[in-house]
Amino acid sequence: MAHSSNPYTLPREILDKYNTSGPRYTSYPTAPEFREDFTQAEALVVIQENQAARADMGLSLYVHVPFCHKLCWYCGCNMLVTKQQDLVERYLDAVITEIDRYSKVIDTRRPVVQIHWGGGTPTYLSSEQITRLYTAITDRFTLAPEAEVSIEIHPPVTTFEQLETLAKLGFNRVSMGVQDFDEEVQKAVNRIQPFEQTKGIIDKARELGFISVNTDLMYGLPFQTVERFSKTLDQIQALRPDRIALFNYAHVPWLKPHQNLIKEETLPTPDEKIALFELAIDRMIQQGYHYIGMDHFALPDNELSIAQADRTLRRNFMGYTTCADSDLYAFGMSSIGDLDSAYLANPRKLPDYLAAMEQEGLPVTRGMVLTADDRLRRDVINRIICHLHLDKAEIERLHGIDFDAYFAAELPKLEPLAQDGLLEIHPDHLVVTPRGQLLLRNICMVFDAYLAKSAPGERRFSKTV
């Protein structure tokens, strides 16, 4: 790249060397490791144990709204295109019933510090439906005064009236996909979203007092070039979002068959993709954004930047968060709860979720209880991916181990990463370098005990670059 002053650039041969497939570590162990025979009875035991052990901890709540009006061909989310309002109503009834069932087995006096609605497209729902679903939560749970209440919206289907409803209810953060403003790129992925439309929604959200307005970008999409993506970055800078997520398009048609609608020959080459990635990082740094973790950028006064600086940043299924330690309960199809010592997952497909909700009890069908080793490695991975720093003594204190002895097999595997300038190894701590941030997933993978157990050639994760 021309801008050699950017500390985040890496030689192409280093990027190529590490461009393997690997997890994004929104959890550890990752979702493919969950047991498919996890029972509701086991889930109830986990919930009771959590109540006893973590009664003073806050709660985070996630709601999955899977519906979309049309399919974006790059999409990797668990979503459903439908025009059947009766199906939407049936789903809403099921989710509200699930919320009600959980409220009867959880101590609802525990303060809710975070709510997030993801999708799909949560603003597929009408203002009346949004209100009904939100009040189902607030009628049953205790919202903390400073709770982070966020929602993913899609500008082409979001009205000012919906934004006003969200603000009135108490939503205070809004996130929206942009991916790319280039018209040919948008057509190639079946997502038309003009700049002016997006600007209108962002301006309205700010007028209504939303604390943080965030946008997502994606590199590696069809027809993207450095010149075209540069124009999109100019437009993004004009909007000046509080946070920007920069995602690597994962072309995994064997997992998401609709991605076959994207012609492979239109995708950027590996070299072009890396150039797009470097361009975006370079521009965001120049514009004063802080590079958070592996794929987020935040303005210096944004809470994500502050949390990373004081090492309180966290990561869960909702991505990077500043919320204090909390237990996550998740509602709706494909949702995954994180109760510190266990993961509880709902059915992935809508008919299976609705069928589970027609039975008594909780719709948990997958999950796992974490071992002491899982919890130790999760703490190590989280500190690397959130703080870019690992204090060996802190891990030893929390888990009653000798770090160097416990990880005797892993530490030599860090040496090549250090030689390539991705991290610094000190006697009492590890530090991820700026250039190592580009390959954070690779550094974390050294501590992942499950990767070695994968079948050779098994394609479970996206590429790391």
Side-chain angles (χ1 to χ4, degrees):
M1 271 199 65
H3 304 285
S4 56
S5 60
N6 181 348
Y8 297 95
T9 54
L10 270 172
R12 200 57 45 91
E13 62 269 19
I14 299 288
L15 287 168
D16 289 345
K17 176 179 174 182
Y18 291 100
N19 192 14
T20 182
S21 63
R24 298 185 60 81
Y25 293 113
T26 48
S27 74
Y28 180 86
T30 56
E33 308 305 334
F34 296 176
R35 278 177 34 221
E36 298 284 340
D37 60 350
F38 201 82
T39 66
Q40 184 191 151
E42 287 175 281
L44 286 169
V45 169
V46 162
I47 291 167
Q48 286 158 5
E49 288 174 348
N50 176 272
Q51 297 277 92
R54 290 167 61 86
D56 57 343
M57 288 292 173
L59 299 176
S60 290
L61 305 178
Y62 173 76
V63 180
H64 192 70
V65 182
F67 306 111
C68 288
H69 288 281
K70 59 187 281 196
L71 177 65
C72 302
W73 294 344
Y74 60 80
C75 183
C77 301
N78 195 306
M79 52 71 70
L80 180 74
V81 175
T82 186
K83 292 186 167 37
Q84 295 176 266
Q85 269 306 310
D86 57 335
L87 181 65
V88 176
E89 283 292 324
R90 195 175 153 208
Y91 181 77
L92 276 181
D93 288 343
V95 172
I96 290 168
T97 301
E98 185 186 4
I99 291 166
D100 188 57
R101 289 178 188 175
Y102 267 104
S103 73
K104 290 178 168 59
V105 294
I106 305 168
D107 179 358
T108 55
R109 292 169 300 182
R110 292 171 66 180
V112 174
V113 296
Q114 181 184 34
I115 296 174
H116 183 70
W117 289 14
T121 305
T123 46
Y124 180 102
L125 303 178
S126 67
S127 290
E128 184 275 327
Q129 290 170 325
I130 288 168
T131 301
R132 183 152 63 93
L133 183 55
Y134 188 74
T135 52
I137 296 169
T138 53
D139 285 351
R140 292 165 177 84
F141 288 89
T142 308
L143 211 56
E146 301 298 314
E148 183 178 294
V149 186
S150 58
I151 184 169
E152 295 166 19
I153 67 171
H154 182 38
V157 302
T158 304
T159 64
F160 286 179
E161 185 221 0
Q162 284 173 309
L163 283 178
E164 286 161 1
T165 297
L166 292 167
K168 192 170 69 196
L169 288 171
F171 283 85
N172 50 34
R173 289 158 177 80
V174 65
S175 178
M176 66 198 75
V178 168
Q179 321 320 347
D180 196 314
F181 281 125
D182 184 89
E183 201 173 327
E184 189 173 9
V185 175
Q186 289 188 356
K187 281 179 184 164
V189 297
N190 197 37
R191 181 192 175 97
I192 305 303
Q193 181 179 328
F195 171 78
E196 287 303 327
Q197 183 182 62
T198 306
K199 182 179 186 299
I201 289 291
I202 287 178
D203 289 347
K204 183 66 175 176
R206 287 190 164 135
E207 179 194 315
L208 289 167
F210 283 84
I211 293 169
S212 194
V213 177
N214 314 327
T215 58
D216 297 346
L217 294 175
M218 194 170 277
Y219 66 95
L221 293 174
F223 299 111
Q224 278 183 329
T225 64
V226 163
E227 186 182 5
R228 287 178 169 189
F229 202 44
S230 183
K231 288 177 185 167
T232 287
L233 293 170
D234 287 341
Q235 291 170 298
I236 286 290
Q237 294 310 332
L239 299 174
R240 198 70 175 163
D242 300 276
R243 302 178 190 174
I244 302 168
L246 175 66
F247 294 123
N248 171 5
Y249 168 56
H251 192 63
V252 286
W254 58 91
L255 294 177
K256 298 288 179 181
H258 61 258
Q259 290 185 350
N260 283 306
L261 294 164
I262 293 176
K263 297 180 175 62
E264 289 221 22
E265 63 270 21
T266 66
L267 294 172
T269 66
D271 274 5
E272 288 168 336
K273 193 172 180 182
I274 288 166
L276 292 166
F277 183 44
E278 291 178 336
L279 169 75
I281 293 170
D282 201 60
R283 290 283 289 281
M284 304 224 205
I285 299 303
Q286 285 178 9
Q287 291 291 334
Y289 284 86
H290 284 182
Y291 189 6
I292 308 291
M294 61 185 182
D295 49 23
H296 278 62
F297 297 81
L299 292 172
D301 59 351
N302 186 267
E303 55 208 349
L304 273 194
S305 295
I306 295 163
Q308 187 168 58
D310 64 19
R311 293 184 188 156
T312 57
L313 190 66
R314 298 179 183 278
R315 188 166 174 81
N316 60 23
F317 289 108
M318 298 181 267
Y320 285 108
T321 175
T322 61
C323 287
D325 189 11
S326 61
D327 293 310
L328 168 65
Y329 284 95
F331 312 117
M333 65 181 259
S334 77
S335 293
I336 303 174
D338 175 357
L339 301 194
D340 185 55
S341 62
Y343 297 118
L344 310 177
N346 285 353
R348 297 180 186 89
K349 294 190 166 66
L350 183 59
D352 297 337
Y353 171 73
L354 293 174
M357 285 308 303
E358 282 164 9
Q359 310 298 314
E360 293 298 315
L362 308 176
V364 176
T365 51
R366 294 180 298 134
M368 74 185 296
V369 175
L370 276 62
T371 65
D373 180 72
D374 291 336
R375 297 174 78 169
L376 163 61
R377 291 174 185 273
R378 178 185 62 186
D379 276 358
V380 168
I381 287 169
N382 275 341
R383 278 156 179 74
I384 291 169
I385 213 163
C386 291
H387 308 159
L388 312 175
H389 181 278
L390 178 73
D391 180 348
K392 291 182 184 179
E394 183 195 16
I395 297 296
E396 290 176 336
R397 197 165 55 245
L398 286 171
H399 294 275
I401 60 152
D402 177 313
F403 190 94
D404 288 352
Y406 195 95
F407 292 108
E410 285 81 3
L411 290 173
K413 295 175 187 170
L414 294 175
E415 293 290 346
L417 296 158
Q419 286 162 15
D420 287 331
L422 308 184
L423 78 160
E424 297 169 7
I425 302 172
H426 300 274
D428 58 351
H429 67 282
L430 305 174
V431 181
V432 178
T433 64
R435 65 196 315 203
Q437 265 185 259
L438 306 191
L439 296 166
L440 257 182
R441 290 158 74 179
N442 302 75
I443 297 170
C444 293
M445 284 159 64
V446 171
F447 293 97
D448 188 331
Y450 291 88
L451 287 180
K453 300 172 190 171
S454 302
E458 189 178 358
R459 299 191 291 187
R460 302 198 296 172
F461 302 109
S462 62
K463 288 292 187 80
T464 57
V465 177

